[in-house]
Amino acid sequence: MDNSDDLAVLLTSPGAVLMAETTEEERFLDLLHDIARSRSLQVWTWSITSGLTNQSGNAMYQTEDPHKALSWISDISAPAVFVFMDATPILADPYVVRRVKETSQGLRPDQTLVFTAPKHDVPAELTSDARLWKLRPPSHRELVDLIATTTSALNERGFAVAIATEDIPEIAQSLTGLSISQAERIVHDAALADGALSERDLPAIRSAKAELFAADGILELVESTVGTLDDVGGLDGLRRWLHVRHVGRGQAKLPSPRGILLTGVPGCGKSLAAKALAHTWLQPLVLLDPGRLYSKYLGESEQRLARALEAVDAMAPAILWIDEIEKGFAAGGEGDGGVSTRLLGSFLRWMQERPDGVFVVATANDVAALPPEFLRKGRFDEIFFVDLPDHPARKAILDLHLRKRELNPADFPLDTLAAITVGFSGAELEAAIVGGLYNAFAADRALDGPALAQAMRDTVPLSVSRAEDLTALRAWASTRATPA
């Protein structure tokens, strides 16, 4: 059932008070007027600046006071809908609430009081009389129509915009979850950016959409500048798995990929893989930092998580990256009044029920800290263990980082350097190159193979300083995770 059908049923059902949640007042009123015309209902609107106004635009004298407006409504006998806009302040007044209750009890079956607000906190006195309804985002059909009207308007204004008709459905899909005004701005900007609207604009459209939903600071839109998965050294098993899932996405007989958990040695490319995946799949990468969820106020942490997950659902298709997930959803949260336990329950329920289009990439350095509910099948498609890079992977990583710094890998003995860096993580290999460059700069000479080898010998890798932890991690992964 769409917005129109849903609202029409409520306006013709018993129950004289409707609490409508929307930030799109104009769209809601247009929808309401369409329904009213089809059912011969008058539409009266009230605002604190104009008072009670009929559908001809005539304001009733001194009805800016909600008490007087409600008194006026009591004398109207025609079938009608009475809309009180931005109702949150007046419903905080207990006298108004009582007046609403008395007025609603005297209305005819074909009359309804409607109160609009972005978010309703229904007064306890009205819970048995009021129905809560939320205006859902525009449908696919509305978005297709919006794209057509926006591009036509641009052309009429003299801006030549070429539109690829076959790409309109996918562009509309990428705008799902936005309000009409938000979608219109994004389409407008994308069309004017290069004078065309086609599938080439999809990455920019999705990023702009994700940026809107990440505006409250809980989520962060991450710009991926690391290249594609082909630019990541090592992780061959993970790359093959992701390639297979990418090829199979969208097939009717196959379930959409849900997500992966990457655990393993710190500095071995878990976060890099998340960024490269976003670039490869041409989807926005949205970071959820669990630490940003927690608040000192009762119930605020749970509300933050709910808002973040609702925004992520609306961003689809997107990749949700949760870095060091164990820090936000670790086992044993008794010391915080049960907040972490409630957050965990809400998050696990979302993981189980989330819609297609959101792919989760979670990383964990201390997987033993995660509760067992996280690790069962169904939460993630696969759990990958990212180990220290082997000899070929170390060569590939050295090659990548040397090129990144405009150094020619052919000038360095990569086989020798890879041989003396057994036990190095990718981050430690990069750090050794950076250290060698600093030493070379201080000595006023170019970096060469011997100098880089010395910088590597001066580095103590984590596999040496934390050898016991690495052994325990590998023992856990040997039976519980897939090698990346």
Side-chain angles (χ1 to χ4, degrees), residues 104-122:
S104 67
Q105 291 170 349
L107 292 179
R108 296 163 35 123
D110 52 7
Q111 293 180 327
T112 307
L113 288 173
V114 179
F115 297 89
T116 71
K119 186 75 176 176
H120 275 298
D121 186 7
V122 180

Side-chain angles (χ1 to χ4, degrees), residues 134-152:
K134 184 174 183 178
L135 180 66
R136 291 187 291 274
S139 66
H140 185 81
R141 181 70 258 169
E142 288 178 280
L143 292 170
V144 168
D145 292 342
L146 171 72
I147 293 169
T149 56
T150 301
T151 52
S152 294

